[in-house]
């Protein structure tokens, strides 16, 4: 087992549904500790930069519009196997495929508005954490 950090975003749809606390509770119950946290309304440039890897995908423009449609809550989660554990709690990208009891099964309406983001590897987690938080704003837990 490895102590890892991962980047997590509660997307505008879930913030609008007022389930931020419920989602944080799920992280904590799974043994993931909040090492950094902030609410932020992304600029178009920030959203495009964050999802740059998807720039050529047909859903890119809609994804950016969605991500800037309201504030998000961004956090760094720390724990054993945090990257995979967080992805498991989120469930599949498309809520129709997400296992019962996962965040996307419970709170997401569609593959476009799917409640939350989670880094998919330790390497990407490090890049994504640095995108949102200076190292001095991430607290070892
Ligand atoms: N997305 C979308 N339509 C698609 C596939 C993805 O709108 O057909 C969005 C969705 O919000 C997803 C994000 O693009 O969370 C990034 O896609 P990825 O395949 O990386 O999924 P994730 O890692 O978020 O589960």
């Amino acid at each position: 087992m490895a102590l890892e950090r991962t980047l997590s975003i509660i997307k505008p749809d879930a913030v609008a549904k007022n389930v931020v606390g419920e989602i944080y509770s799920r992280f904590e119950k799974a043994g993931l500790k909040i090492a950094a946290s902030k609410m932020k309304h992304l600029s178009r440039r920030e959203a495009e930069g964050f999802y740059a890897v998807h720039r050529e995908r047909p859903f890119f423009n809609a994804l950016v519009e969605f991500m800037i449609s309201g504030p998000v809550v961004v956090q760094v989660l720390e724990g054993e196997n945090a990257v995979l554990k967080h992805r498991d709690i989120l469930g599949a990208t498309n809520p129709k495929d997400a296992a019962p009891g996962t965040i996307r099964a419970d709170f997401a309406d569609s593959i476009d508005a799917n409640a939350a983001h989670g880094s998919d590897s330790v390497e990407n987690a490090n890049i994504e954490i640095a995108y949102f938080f200076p190292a001095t704003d991430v607290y070892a837990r």
Side-chain angles (χ1 to χ4, degrees):
M1 297 258 273
L3 188 67
E4 294 174 351
R5 286 177 174 172
T6 192
L7 192 278
S8 168
I9 303 177
I10 301 177
K11 295 184 179 182
D13 57 329
V15 174
K17 284 182 180 170
N18 207 26
V19 292
V20 172
E22 166 68 26
I23 291 173
Y24 267 50
S25 177
R26 293 183 184 204
F27 295 155
E28 291 172 349
K29 283 179 183 146
L32 295 170
K33 296 182 175 179
I34 316 285
S37 173
K38 66 182 168 190
M39 181 173 270
K40 189 170 173 51
H41 198 142
L42 300 180
S43 68
R44 183 176 300 277
R45 183 183 290 253
E46 284 171 325
E48 287 175 349
F50 183 73
Y51 280 119
V53 65
H54 293 308
R55 189 171 290 279
E56 304 306 324
R57 307 281 288 278
F59 58 81
F60 179 73
N61 287 336
L63 174 59
V64 168
E65 288 297 333
F66 167 64
M67 290 300 289
I68 65 174
S69 66
V72 298
V73 179
V74 191
Q75 48 281 330
V76 176
L77 303 176
E78 187 175 272
E80 295 291 338
N81 293 325
V83 171
L84 194 58
K85 188 179 277 185
H86 180 228
R87 298 273 297 185
D88 284 348
I89 295 168
L90 291 185
T93 307
N94 188 339
K96 289 186 184 138
D97 303 326
T102 59
I103 288 167
R104 282 166 168 165
D106 289 346
F107 303 123
D109 294 323
S110 67
I111 192 169
D112 315 278
N114 66 354
H117 165 84
S119 309
D120 62 3
S121 67
V122 172
E123 185 185 7
N124 284 337
N126 289 333
I127 294 167
E128 293 178 359
I129 290 168
Y131 193 79
F132 284 109
F133 295 99
T136 49
D137 285 355
V138 183
Y139 296 93
R141 296 291 311 277

Short mmCIF file of all heavy atoms in Angstrom, two decimals, residues 31-90:
data_model
loop_
_atom_site.label_atom_id
_atom_site.label_comp_id
_atom_site.label_asym_id
_atom_site.label_seq_id
_atom_site.Cartn_x
_atom_site.Cartn_y
_atom_site.Cartn_z
N GLY A 31 -11.62 6.92 4.56
CA GLY A 31 -10.24 7.04 5.04
C GLY A 31 -9.40 8.03 4.26
O GLY A 31 -8.18 8.07 4.42
N LEU A 32 -10.04 8.83 3.41
CA LEU A 32 -9.31 9.86 2.67
C LEU A 32 -9.35 11.17 3.47
O LEU A 32 -10.41 11.59 3.92
CB LEU A 32 -9.94 10.08 1.29
CG LEU A 32 -9.85 8.87 0.35
CD1 LEU A 32 -10.71 9.08 -0.89
CD2 LEU A 32 -8.39 8.62 -0.05
N LYS A 33 -8.18 11.76 3.67
CA LYS A 33 -8.09 12.99 4.46
C LYS A 33 -8.00 14.19 3.53
O LYS A 33 -7.37 14.13 2.47
CB LYS A 33 -6.86 12.92 5.37
CG LYS A 33 -6.99 11.80 6.39
CD LYS A 33 -5.81 11.75 7.33
CE LYS A 33 -6.05 10.70 8.41
NZ LYS A 33 -4.91 10.60 9.34
N ILE A 34 -8.64 15.30 3.95
CA ILE A 34 -8.61 16.53 3.15
C ILE A 34 -7.29 17.24 3.44
O ILE A 34 -7.08 17.72 4.56
CB ILE A 34 -9.79 17.46 3.53
CG1 ILE A 34 -11.10 16.70 3.69
CG2 ILE A 34 -9.88 18.63 2.56
CD1 ILE A 34 -11.80 16.26 2.48
N ALA A 35 -6.42 17.32 2.44
CA ALA A 35 -5.10 17.94 2.62
C ALA A 35 -5.06 19.37 2.07
O ALA A 35 -4.13 20.12 2.38
CB ALA A 35 -4.03 17.08 1.96
N ALA A 36 -6.07 19.72 1.26
CA ALA A 36 -6.22 21.09 0.73
C ALA A 36 -7.65 21.20 0.24
O ALA A 36 -8.24 20.19 -0.16
CB ALA A 36 -5.25 21.37 -0.40
N SER A 37 -8.20 22.42 0.26
CA SER A 37 -9.61 22.58 -0.11
C SER A 37 -9.90 24.03 -0.45
O SER A 37 -9.46 24.93 0.26
CB SER A 37 -10.48 22.14 1.08
OG SER A 37 -11.84 22.41 0.85
N LYS A 38 -10.65 24.25 -1.54
CA LYS A 38 -11.12 25.61 -1.83
C LYS A 38 -12.29 25.58 -2.80
O LYS A 38 -12.42 24.66 -3.63
CB LYS A 38 -10.00 26.47 -2.40
CG LYS A 38 -9.48 26.06 -3.76
CD LYS A 38 -8.33 26.99 -4.18
CE LYS A 38 -7.59 26.44 -5.37
NZ LYS A 38 -6.35 27.18 -5.64
N MET A 39 -13.16 26.61 -2.68
CA MET A 39 -14.21 26.83 -3.67
C MET A 39 -13.68 27.83 -4.68
O MET A 39 -12.98 28.78 -4.32
CB MET A 39 -15.48 27.33 -3.00
CG MET A 39 -16.62 27.56 -3.99
SD MET A 39 -18.17 27.98 -3.16
CE MET A 39 -18.88 26.35 -2.93
N LYS A 40 -14.04 27.61 -5.96
CA LYS A 40 -13.47 28.44 -7.00
C LYS A 40 -14.39 28.44 -8.21
O LYS A 40 -14.93 27.41 -8.58
CB LYS A 40 -12.12 27.81 -7.39
CG LYS A 40 -11.26 28.62 -8.32
CD LYS A 40 -9.87 27.99 -8.40
CE LYS A 40 -9.00 28.65 -9.45
NZ LYS A 40 -8.91 30.10 -9.37
N HIS A 41 -14.61 29.61 -8.81
CA HIS A 41 -15.32 29.67 -10.09
C HIS A 41 -14.26 29.74 -11.19
O HIS A 41 -13.58 30.75 -11.34
CB HIS A 41 -16.26 30.88 -10.13
CG HIS A 41 -17.30 30.76 -11.18
ND1 HIS A 41 -18.60 31.18 -11.03
CD2 HIS A 41 -17.24 30.22 -12.43
CE1 HIS A 41 -19.28 30.93 -12.13
NE2 HIS A 41 -18.48 30.35 -12.99
N LEU A 42 -14.10 28.65 -11.92
CA LEU A 42 -13.03 28.57 -12.90
C LEU A 42 -13.25 29.56 -14.03
O LEU A 42 -14.39 29.76 -14.49
CB LEU A 42 -12.95 27.17 -13.50
CG LEU A 42 -12.69 26.00 -12.54
CD1 LEU A 42 -12.66 24.69 -13.32
CD2 LEU A 42 -11.39 26.21 -11.80
N SER A 43 -12.18 30.15 -14.52
CA SER A 43 -12.25 30.93 -15.75
C SER A 43 -12.24 29.96 -16.93
O SER A 43 -11.88 28.78 -16.78
CB SER A 43 -11.05 31.87 -15.85
OG SER A 43 -9.87 31.10 -16.05
N ARG A 44 -12.64 30.45 -18.09
CA ARG A 44 -12.60 29.60 -19.29
C ARG A 44 -11.18 29.08 -19.52
O ARG A 44 -10.96 27.90 -19.81
CB ARG A 44 -13.10 30.40 -20.50
CG ARG A 44 -13.18 29.60 -21.79
CD ARG A 44 -13.78 30.43 -22.90
NE ARG A 44 -15.12 30.87 -22.60
CZ ARG A 44 -16.23 30.14 -22.77
NH1 ARG A 44 -16.13 28.92 -23.27
NH2 ARG A 44 -17.40 30.63 -22.46
N ARG A 45 -10.21 29.96 -19.36
CA ARG A 45 -8.82 29.59 -19.58
C ARG A 45 -8.38 28.49 -18.60
O ARG A 45 -7.68 27.54 -18.99
CB ARG A 45 -7.94 30.83 -19.42
CG ARG A 45 -6.46 30.59 -19.69
CD ARG A 45 -5.69 31.87 -19.45
NE ARG A 45 -5.98 32.87 -20.46
CZ ARG A 45 -5.13 33.23 -21.41
NH1 ARG A 45 -3.94 32.64 -21.48
NH2 ARG A 45 -5.45 34.13 -22.29
N GLU A 46 -8.80 28.60 -17.35
CA GLU A 46 -8.44 27.58 -16.35
C GLU A 46 -9.07 26.23 -16.69
O GLU A 46 -8.43 25.19 -16.58
CB GLU A 46 -8.90 28.02 -14.96
CG GLU A 46 -8.02 29.09 -14.33
CD GLU A 46 -8.62 29.66 -13.06
OE1 GLU A 46 -9.86 29.78 -12.95
OE2 GLU A 46 -7.83 30.01 -12.17
N ALA A 47 -10.35 26.25 -17.09
CA ALA A 47 -11.03 24.99 -17.43
C ALA A 47 -10.42 24.37 -18.68
O ALA A 47 -10.20 23.15 -18.73
CB ALA A 47 -12.53 25.25 -17.61
N GLU A 48 -10.13 25.19 -19.68
CA GLU A 48 -9.51 24.67 -20.91
C GLU A 48 -8.14 24.08 -20.61
O GLU A 48 -7.77 23.03 -21.14
CB GLU A 48 -9.38 25.78 -21.95
CG GLU A 48 -10.70 26.16 -22.58
CD GLU A 48 -10.60 27.34 -23.53
OE1 GLU A 48 -9.55 28.01 -23.56
OE2 GLU A 48 -11.60 27.60 -24.23
N GLY A 49 -7.39 24.74 -19.75
CA GLY A 49 -6.06 24.25 -19.39
C GLY A 49 -6.12 22.95 -18.63
O GLY A 49 -5.35 22.01 -18.88
N PHE A 50 -7.08 22.86 -17.70
CA PHE A 50 -7.20 21.65 -16.90
C PHE A 50 -7.55 20.44 -17.77
O PHE A 50 -7.03 19.34 -17.57
CB PHE A 50 -8.26 21.84 -15.81
CG PHE A 50 -8.38 20.66 -14.90
CD1 PHE A 50 -7.40 20.40 -13.96
CD2 PHE A 50 -9.45 19.79 -15.01
CE1 PHE A 50 -7.48 19.29 -13.13
CE2 PHE A 50 -9.54 18.68 -14.18
CZ PHE A 50 -8.55 18.43 -13.24
N TYR A 51 -8.43 20.65 -18.73
CA TYR A 51 -8.88 19.55 -19.60
C TYR A 51 -8.18 19.55 -20.95
O TYR A 51 -8.71 18.99 -21.93
CB TYR A 51 -10.40 19.61 -19.78
CG TYR A 51 -11.17 19.03 -18.61
CD1 TYR A 51 -12.05 19.80 -17.87
CD2 TYR A 51 -11.04 17.69 -18.27
CE1 TYR A 51 -12.78 19.26 -16.81
CE2 TYR A 51 -11.75 17.14 -17.21
CZ TYR A 51 -12.62 17.92 -16.49
OH TYR A 51 -13.33 17.37 -15.44
N ALA A 52 -6.98 20.15 -21.05
CA ALA A 52 -6.27 20.28 -22.33
C ALA A 52 -6.09 18.93 -23.03
O ALA A 52 -6.13 18.86 -24.26
CB ALA A 52 -4.92 20.95 -22.10
N VAL A 53 -5.95 17.86 -22.26
CA VAL A 53 -5.75 16.53 -22.85
C VAL A 53 -6.96 16.12 -23.70
O VAL A 53 -6.85 15.30 -24.61
CB VAL A 53 -5.46 15.49 -21.74
CG1 VAL A 53 -6.65 15.31 -20.83
CG2 VAL A 53 -5.02 14.17 -22.31
N HIS A 54 -8.13 16.72 -23.42
CA HIS A 54 -9.35 16.38 -24.15
C HIS A 54 -9.67 17.38 -25.27
O HIS A 54 -10.76 17.36 -25.83
CB HIS A 54 -10.55 16.32 -23.19
CG HIS A 54 -10.49 15.20 -22.20
ND1 HIS A 54 -10.27 13.89 -22.55
CD2 HIS A 54 -10.61 15.19 -20.84
CE1 HIS A 54 -10.27 13.13 -21.46
NE2 HIS A 54 -10.46 13.90 -20.42
N ARG A 55 -8.72 18.27 -25.58
CA ARG A 55 -9.01 19.39 -26.48
C ARG A 55 -9.59 18.95 -27.83
O ARG A 55 -10.45 19.64 -28.40
CB ARG A 55 -7.73 20.21 -26.71
CG ARG A 55 -7.93 21.51 -27.44
CD ARG A 55 -6.67 22.35 -27.43
NE ARG A 55 -6.34 22.89 -26.13
CZ ARG A 55 -6.89 23.98 -25.60
NH1 ARG A 55 -7.80 24.64 -26.28
NH2 ARG A 55 -6.53 24.40 -24.42
N GLU A 56 -9.15 17.82 -28.36
CA GLU A 56 -9.61 17.37 -29.67
C GLU A 56 -10.89 16.53 -29.60
O GLU A 56 -11.41 16.12 -30.64
CB GLU A 56 -8.51 16.56 -30.37
CG GLU A 56 -7.18 17.27 -30.52
CD GLU A 56 -7.32 18.63 -31.22
OE1 GLU A 56 -8.16 18.75 -32.12
OE2 GLU A 56 -6.58 19.56 -30.83
N ARG A 57 -11.38 16.26 -28.40
CA ARG A 57 -12.56 15.41 -28.25
C ARG A 57 -13.82 16.20 -28.58
O ARG A 57 -13.90 17.42 -28.34
CB ARG A 57 -12.66 14.84 -26.83
CG ARG A 57 -11.39 14.13 -26.35
CD ARG A 57 -11.24 12.73 -26.90
NE ARG A 57 -12.19 11.80 -26.30
CZ ARG A 57 -12.01 11.21 -25.11
NH1 ARG A 57 -10.91 11.45 -24.41
NH2 ARG A 57 -12.89 10.38 -24.64
N PRO A 58 -14.86 15.54 -29.13
CA PRO A 58 -16.08 16.26 -29.53
C PRO A 58 -16.80 16.93 -28.37
O PRO A 58 -17.51 17.92 -28.57
CB PRO A 58 -16.96 15.17 -30.16
CG PRO A 58 -16.36 13.87 -29.75
CD PRO A 58 -14.90 14.11 -29.48
N PHE A 59 -16.61 16.42 -27.16
CA PHE A 59 -17.32 16.99 -26.00
C PHE A 59 -16.56 18.11 -25.32
O PHE A 59 -17.02 18.64 -24.31
CB PHE A 59 -17.65 15.87 -25.00
CG PHE A 59 -16.46 15.11 -24.46
CD1 PHE A 59 -15.67 15.62 -23.44
CD2 PHE A 59 -16.12 13.88 -25.01
CE1 PHE A 59 -14.58 14.93 -22.95
CE2 PHE A 59 -15.02 13.16 -24.53
CZ PHE A 59 -14.25 13.70 -23.50
N PHE A 60 -15.39 18.49 -25.86
CA PHE A 60 -14.51 19.44 -25.14
C PHE A 60 -15.21 20.77 -24.84
O PHE A 60 -15.20 21.25 -23.70
CB PHE A 60 -13.23 19.67 -25.94
CG PHE A 60 -12.29 20.66 -25.29
CD1 PHE A 60 -11.57 20.31 -24.16
CD2 PHE A 60 -12.14 21.94 -25.80
CE1 PHE A 60 -10.71 21.21 -23.54
CE2 PHE A 60 -11.29 22.85 -25.18
CZ PHE A 60 -10.57 22.48 -24.06
N ASN A 61 -15.83 21.38 -25.86
CA ASN A 61 -16.43 22.71 -25.63
C ASN A 61 -17.56 22.64 -24.62
O ASN A 61 -17.68 23.51 -23.75
CB ASN A 61 -16.92 23.31 -26.96
CG ASN A 61 -15.77 23.76 -27.83
OD1 ASN A 61 -14.69 24.06 -27.32
ND2 ASN A 61 -15.98 23.79 -29.13
N ALA A 62 -18.38 21.61 -24.73
CA ALA A 62 -19.49 21.46 -23.78
C ALA A 62 -18.95 21.22 -22.37
O ALA A 62 -19.51 21.73 -21.39
CB ALA A 62 -20.40 20.30 -24.21
N LEU A 63 -17.87 20.46 -22.27
CA LEU A 63 -17.27 20.18 -20.97
C LEU A 63 -16.76 21.48 -20.32
O LEU A 63 -17.01 21.74 -19.14
CB LEU A 63 -16.13 19.17 -21.14
CG LEU A 63 -15.29 18.85 -19.90
CD1 LEU A 63 -16.14 18.29 -18.77
CD2 LEU A 63 -14.16 17.86 -20.27
N VAL A 64 -16.10 22.30 -21.11
CA VAL A 64 -15.58 23.57 -20.59
C VAL A 64 -16.76 24.47 -20.16
O VAL A 64 -16.73 25.05 -19.07
CB VAL A 64 -14.68 24.27 -21.63
CG1 VAL A 64 -14.37 25.70 -21.21
CG2 VAL A 64 -13.38 23.47 -21.81
N GLU A 65 -17.78 24.56 -21.00
CA GLU A 65 -18.95 25.39 -20.65
C GLU A 65 -19.57 24.92 -19.32
O GLU A 65 -19.94 25.73 -18.47
CB GLU A 65 -20.02 25.32 -21.74
CG GLU A 65 -19.68 26.06 -23.02
CD GLU A 65 -19.51 27.57 -22.84
OE1 GLU A 65 -20.11 28.14 -21.91
OE2 GLU A 65 -18.75 28.15 -23.62
N PHE A 66 -19.68 23.62 -19.19
CA PHE A 66 -20.25 23.06 -17.95
C PHE A 66 -19.37 23.40 -16.75
O PHE A 66 -19.87 23.83 -15.70
CB PHE A 66 -20.41 21.54 -18.10
CG PHE A 66 -20.68 20.85 -16.81
CD1 PHE A 66 -21.85 21.09 -16.09
CD2 PHE A 66 -19.77 19.93 -16.29
CE1 PHE A 66 -22.10 20.45 -14.89
CE2 PHE A 66 -20.01 19.29 -15.10
CZ PHE A 66 -21.17 19.55 -14.38
N MET A 67 -18.07 23.26 -16.90
CA MET A 67 -17.17 23.46 -15.76
C MET A 67 -17.10 24.92 -15.31
O MET A 67 -16.69 25.19 -14.18
CB MET A 67 -15.77 22.93 -16.09
CG MET A 67 -15.67 21.42 -16.18
SD MET A 67 -16.12 20.56 -14.64
CE MET A 67 -14.72 20.98 -13.59
N ILE A 68 -17.49 25.85 -16.20
CA ILE A 68 -17.48 27.27 -15.81
C ILE A 68 -18.90 27.78 -15.55
O ILE A 68 -19.10 28.98 -15.37
CB ILE A 68 -16.78 28.15 -16.87
CG1 ILE A 68 -17.53 28.18 -18.20
CG2 ILE A 68 -15.34 27.67 -17.08
CD1 ILE A 68 -16.94 29.16 -19.22
N SER A 69 -19.86 26.87 -15.49
CA SER A 69 -21.27 27.28 -15.32
C SER A 69 -21.58 27.68 -13.87
O SER A 69 -22.64 28.25 -13.60
CB SER A 69 -22.20 26.16 -15.77
OG SER A 69 -22.08 25.03 -14.92
N GLY A 70 -20.69 27.40 -12.95
CA GLY A 70 -20.88 27.74 -11.55
C GLY A 70 -19.63 27.37 -10.78
O GLY A 70 -18.71 26.78 -11.35
N PRO A 71 -19.59 27.70 -9.49
CA PRO A 71 -18.39 27.37 -8.72
C PRO A 71 -18.20 25.87 -8.55
O PRO A 71 -19.17 25.10 -8.57
CB PRO A 71 -18.64 28.06 -7.38
CG PRO A 71 -20.12 28.23 -7.30
CD PRO A 71 -20.61 28.39 -8.70
N VAL A 72 -16.94 25.48 -8.37
CA VAL A 72 -16.58 24.10 -8.05
C VAL A 72 -15.90 24.11 -6.69
O VAL A 72 -15.51 25.17 -6.19
CB VAL A 72 -15.64 23.48 -9.12
CG1 VAL A 72 -16.32 23.44 -10.48
CG2 VAL A 72 -14.32 24.25 -9.20
N VAL A 73 -15.76 22.92 -6.09
CA VAL A 73 -14.97 22.79 -4.87
C VAL A 73 -13.83 21.82 -5.20
O VAL A 73 -14.07 20.71 -5.67
CB VAL A 73 -15.81 22.29 -3.68
CG1 VAL A 73 -14.94 22.14 -2.43
CG2 VAL A 73 -16.96 23.25 -3.40
N VAL A 74 -12.61 22.31 -5.00
CA VAL A 74 -11.42 21.55 -5.38
C VAL A 74 -10.70 21.10 -4.11
O VAL A 74 -10.53 21.92 -3.19
CB VAL A 74 -10.46 22.41 -6.22
CG1 VAL A 74 -9.35 21.56 -6.84
CG2 VAL A 74 -11.21 23.16 -7.31
N GLN A 75 -10.30 19.83 -4.06
CA GLN A 75 -9.60 19.36 -2.88
C GLN A 75 -8.50 18.37 -3.25
O GLN A 75 -8.56 17.71 -4.27
CB GLN A 75 -10.54 18.71 -1.84
CG GLN A 75 -11.52 17.70 -2.37
CD GLN A 75 -12.71 18.34 -3.04
OE1 GLN A 75 -13.12 19.43 -2.68
NE2 GLN A 75 -13.26 17.69 -4.06
N VAL A 76 -7.51 18.34 -2.37
CA VAL A 76 -6.49 17.29 -2.42
C VAL A 76 -6.85 16.28 -1.34
O VAL A 76 -7.10 16.65 -0.19
CB VAL A 76 -5.08 17.86 -2.16
CG1 VAL A 76 -4.05 16.74 -2.11
CG2 VAL A 76 -4.71 18.89 -3.22
N LEU A 77 -6.92 15.02 -1.73
CA LEU A 77 -7.22 13.94 -0.79
C LEU A 77 -5.97 13.11 -0.59
O LEU A 77 -5.24 12.82 -1.56
CB LEU A 77 -8.35 13.06 -1.34
CG LEU A 77 -9.65 13.79 -1.67
CD1 LEU A 77 -10.65 12.82 -2.30
CD2 LEU A 77 -10.24 14.46 -0.45
N GLU A 78 -5.72 12.72 0.65
CA GLU A 78 -4.53 11.95 0.97
C GLU A 78 -4.93 10.67 1.69
O GLU A 78 -5.82 10.69 2.54
CB GLU A 78 -3.61 12.79 1.87
CG GLU A 78 -2.26 12.14 2.13
CD GLU A 78 -1.35 13.07 2.93
OE1 GLU A 78 -0.65 13.88 2.32
OE2 GLU A 78 -1.37 12.98 4.17
N GLY A 79 -4.27 9.59 1.34
CA GLY A 79 -4.55 8.33 2.01
C GLY A 79 -3.88 7.17 1.29
O GLY A 79 -3.23 7.35 0.25
N GLU A 80 -4.04 5.97 1.87
CA GLU A 80 -3.50 4.77 1.22
C GLU A 80 -4.23 4.56 -0.10
O GLU A 80 -5.46 4.57 -0.15
CB GLU A 80 -3.68 3.55 2.13
CG GLU A 80 -2.91 3.60 3.43
CD GLU A 80 -1.40 3.49 3.23
OE1 GLU A 80 -0.97 2.97 2.19
OE2 GLU A 80 -0.67 3.96 4.12
N ASN A 81 -3.48 4.39 -1.16
CA ASN A 81 -4.06 4.14 -2.49
C ASN A 81 -5.14 5.18 -2.84
O ASN A 81 -6.20 4.83 -3.37
CB ASN A 81 -4.64 2.73 -2.58
CG ASN A 81 -3.57 1.68 -2.51
OD1 ASN A 81 -2.46 1.87 -3.00
ND2 ASN A 81 -3.88 0.56 -1.88
N ALA A 82 -4.86 6.44 -2.52
CA ALA A 82 -5.89 7.48 -2.66
C ALA A 82 -6.42 7.62 -4.08
O ALA A 82 -7.61 7.87 -4.27
CB ALA A 82 -5.32 8.82 -2.17
N VAL A 83 -5.56 7.45 -5.08
CA VAL A 83 -6.01 7.67 -6.47
C VAL A 83 -7.12 6.68 -6.83
O VAL A 83 -8.22 7.07 -7.25
CB VAL A 83 -4.82 7.57 -7.45
CG1 VAL A 83 -5.32 7.59 -8.90
CG2 VAL A 83 -3.84 8.71 -7.21
N LEU A 84 -6.85 5.40 -6.64
CA LEU A 84 -7.83 4.36 -7.00
C LEU A 84 -9.02 4.37 -6.05
O LEU A 84 -10.18 4.20 -6.48
CB LEU A 84 -7.14 2.99 -6.99
CG LEU A 84 -7.92 1.87 -7.67
CD1 LEU A 84 -8.22 2.22 -9.12
CD2 LEU A 84 -7.14 0.56 -7.59
N LYS A 85 -8.75 4.58 -4.77
CA LYS A 85 -9.84 4.61 -3.79
C LYS A 85 -10.84 5.71 -4.13
O LYS A 85 -12.06 5.49 -4.12
CB LYS A 85 -9.26 4.83 -2.38
CG LYS A 85 -10.26 4.68 -1.27
CD LYS A 85 -9.62 4.89 0.09
CE LYS A 85 -8.95 3.66 0.61
NZ LYS A 85 -8.44 3.82 1.99
N HIS A 86 -10.33 6.88 -4.48
CA HIS A 86 -11.20 8.01 -4.84
C HIS A 86 -11.99 7.69 -6.11
O HIS A 86 -13.20 7.94 -6.19
CB HIS A 86 -10.32 9.25 -5.02
CG HIS A 86 -11.05 10.48 -5.40
ND1 HIS A 86 -10.65 11.29 -6.43
CD2 HIS A 86 -12.17 11.07 -4.89
CE1 HIS A 86 -11.48 12.32 -6.52
NE2 HIS A 86 -12.41 12.21 -5.61
N ARG A 87 -11.33 7.11 -7.11
CA ARG A 87 -12.03 6.75 -8.35
C ARG A 87 -13.13 5.72 -8.06
O ARG A 87 -14.20 5.78 -8.68
CB ARG A 87 -11.04 6.19 -9.38
CG ARG A 87 -9.96 7.15 -9.82
CD ARG A 87 -10.35 8.04 -10.96
NE ARG A 87 -10.64 7.33 -12.18
CZ ARG A 87 -10.91 7.94 -13.34
NH1 ARG A 87 -10.93 9.28 -13.41
NH2 ARG A 87 -11.19 7.26 -14.42
N ASP A 88 -12.86 4.80 -7.15
CA ASP A 88 -13.87 3.80 -6.80
C ASP A 88 -15.09 4.46 -6.16
O ASP A 88 -16.24 4.09 -6.44
CB ASP A 88 -13.30 2.77 -5.82
CG ASP A 88 -12.40 1.76 -6.51
OD1 ASP A 88 -12.40 1.72 -7.75
OD2 ASP A 88 -11.69 1.03 -5.80
N ILE A 89 -14.84 5.42 -5.28
CA ILE A 89 -15.95 6.11 -4.60
C ILE A 89 -16.75 6.94 -5.62
O ILE A 89 -17.97 7.06 -5.49
CB ILE A 89 -15.40 7.03 -3.48
CG1 ILE A 89 -14.74 6.22 -2.39
CG2 ILE A 89 -16.51 7.89 -2.89
CD1 ILE A 89 -13.95 7.09 -1.42
N LEU A 90 -16.06 7.50 -6.62
CA LEU A 90 -16.76 8.31 -7.64
C LEU A 90 -17.67 7.44 -8.51
O LEU A 90 -18.77 7.85 -8.86
CB LEU A 90 -15.76 9.03 -8.56
CG LEU A 90 -14.93 10.15 -7.95
CD1 LEU A 90 -14.09 10.82 -9.05
CD2 LEU A 90 -15.81 11.17 -7.26
#
